[in-house]
């Protein structure tokens, strides 16, 4: 691959993952279409993107661990409930091609952004809820279903996890984004990448530039989310969700 193409991949990965680490998802909005545009078939592009996305999680994890605030209880729920869903979804995507699902997902993603816009105080303060009784179980079921989407679809599912943690469990945006980046970025995407790598093919020649851009972008985006705080994260989250939703709809059309 030409050096110019490697530089393009690095810059795209840096930009996409910086915004993703700031808002809690959406790197695939930019990164995956570029891989396809540069000539990779969809399945190979998706597997390659998933591997690079793990670097996003690692970069963000390094920064968030320095800051603290990752709650072990939610980390455990996200692993136990989400990982089985990811494995189910990754096995489904290579067998099913249904653009109506992408259009529906796009509309739902836009709905997430509008929901946040219409609730000005959502996610600005920690408001603990659904922490006992059937609350964690239902919360885990929601994470399992989002895990299926994460394993089977291309972009935006981290945004679902972020809003689910905010809306159901009452986390503020900063805590929710930190958990999403660490658990979804490293573990969910890692499981999806491994499954897709076994079932499909990974384009290894492009990964050095993608991983480096994702690693640096993840760290810088996590740093910005910590420095700027909940109100900035909320605004960027709303913009990214609407853009991801539009991208899914236009791609599905």
């Amino acid at each position: 691959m030409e050096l110019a193409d490697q530089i393009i991949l690095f810059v795209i990965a840096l930009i996409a993952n910086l915004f993703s680490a700031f808002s809690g998802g959406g790197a695939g909005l930019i990164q995956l279409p570029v891989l396809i545009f540069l000539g990779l078939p969809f399945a190979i592009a998706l597997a390659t993107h998933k591997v690079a996305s793990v670097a996003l999680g690692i970069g963000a994890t390094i920064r968030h661990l320095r800051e603290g605030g990752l709650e072990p209880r939610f980390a455990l729920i996200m692993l136990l409930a989400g990982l089985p869903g990811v494995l189910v979804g990754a096995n489904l995507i290579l067998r099913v091609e249904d653009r109506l699902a992408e259009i529906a997902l796009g509309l739902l993603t836009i709905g997430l952004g509008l929901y946040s816009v219409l609730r000005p105080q959502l996610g600005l303060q920690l408001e603990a809820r659904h922490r006992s009784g059937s609350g964690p179980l239902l919360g885990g079921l929601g994470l399992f279903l989002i895990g299926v989407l994460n394993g089977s679809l291309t972009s935006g599912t981290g945004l679902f996890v972020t809003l689910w943690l905010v809306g159901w469990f009452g986390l503020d945006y900063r805590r929710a984004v930190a958990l999403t980046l660490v658990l979804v970025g490293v573990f969910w995407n890692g499981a999806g990448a491994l499954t897709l790598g076994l079932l499909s093919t990974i384009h290894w020649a492009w990964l050095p530039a993608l991983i480096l851009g994702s690693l640096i972008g993840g760290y810088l985006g996590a740093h910005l989310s910590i420095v700027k705080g909940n109100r900035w994260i909320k605004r960027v989250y709303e913009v990214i969700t609407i853009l991801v939703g539009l991208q899914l709809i236009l791609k599905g059309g």
Side-chain angles (χ1 to χ4, degrees):
M1 191 179 186
E2 297 292 336
L3 178 61
D5 291 331
Q6 291 280 0
I7 293 173
I8 290 172
L9 286 174
F10 169 78
V11 173
I12 290 298
L14 178 67
I15 295 171
N17 289 283
L18 188 152
F19 281 105
S20 179
F22 193 7
S23 62
L29 169 69
I30 301 173
Q31 189 165 280
L32 185 74
V34 169
L35 297 183
I36 295 172
F37 177 77
L38 290 175
L40 291 187
F42 172 79
I44 297 176
L46 179 59
T48 305
H49 164 67
K50 287 289 186 185
V51 174
S53 294
V54 177
L56 158 66
I58 293 173
T61 298
I62 293 171
R63 182 63 183 91
H64 280 296
L65 286 178
R66 287 177 53 197
E67 189 71 14
L70 295 175
E71 300 184 39
R73 180 184 184 187
F74 290 110
L76 183 61
I77 292 174
M78 291 175 71
L79 286 176
L80 294 179
L83 282 178
V86 173
L87 297 177
V88 170
N91 278 279
L92 289 176
I93 186 58
L94 299 179
R95 304 175 187 178
V96 178
E97 186 173 352
D98 187 357
R99 292 306 185 199
L100 289 177
E102 287 193 330
I103 294 173
L105 181 64
L107 291 171
L108 185 56
T109 305
I110 291 174
L112 297 181
L114 294 177
Y115 177 77
S116 182
V117 169
L118 294 173
R119 298 192 61 185
Q121 299 305 311
L122 181 71
L124 298 183
Q125 300 292 333
L126 177 65
E127 299 176 2
R129 53 180 174 266
H130 299 132
R131 307 294 179 92
S132 60
S134 61
L137 183 62
L138 293 175
L141 177 60
L143 289 168
F144 171 81
L145 296 175
I146 298 171
V148 174
L149 293 178
N150 177 271
S152 62
L153 293 167
T154 58
S155 63
T157 50
L159 300 167
F160 281 68
V161 174
T162 297
L163 194 64
W164 184 250
L165 293 174
V166 170
W168 183 259
F169 289 113
L171 298 185
D172 59 70
Y173 269 106
R174 188 180 68 81
R175 286 181 173 86
V177 166
L179 282 166
T180 297
L181 291 173
V182 174
L183 276 302
V184 174
V186 177
F187 296 98
W188 288 26
N189 286 343
L194 178 62
T195 305
L196 288 169
L198 292 173
L199 298 175
S200 180
T201 303
I202 295 169
H203 197 68
W204 296 103
W206 291 12
L207 276 176
L210 289 172
I211 288 175
L212 183 61
S214 299
L215 190 66
I216 296 173
Y219 183 91
L220 293 177
H223 176 73
L224 283 175
S225 71
I226 291 167
V227 172
K228 293 298 185 181
N230 286 316
R231 195 169 297 278
W232 269 89
I233 299 172
K234 177 178 170 66
R235 292 292 173 258
V236 174
Y237 174 88
E238 290 159 0
V239 171
I240 295 294
T241 50
I242 292 171
L243 289 177
V244 169
L246 289 173
Q247 188 260 358
L248 286 166
I249 292 170
L250 293 174
K251 180 184 173 184

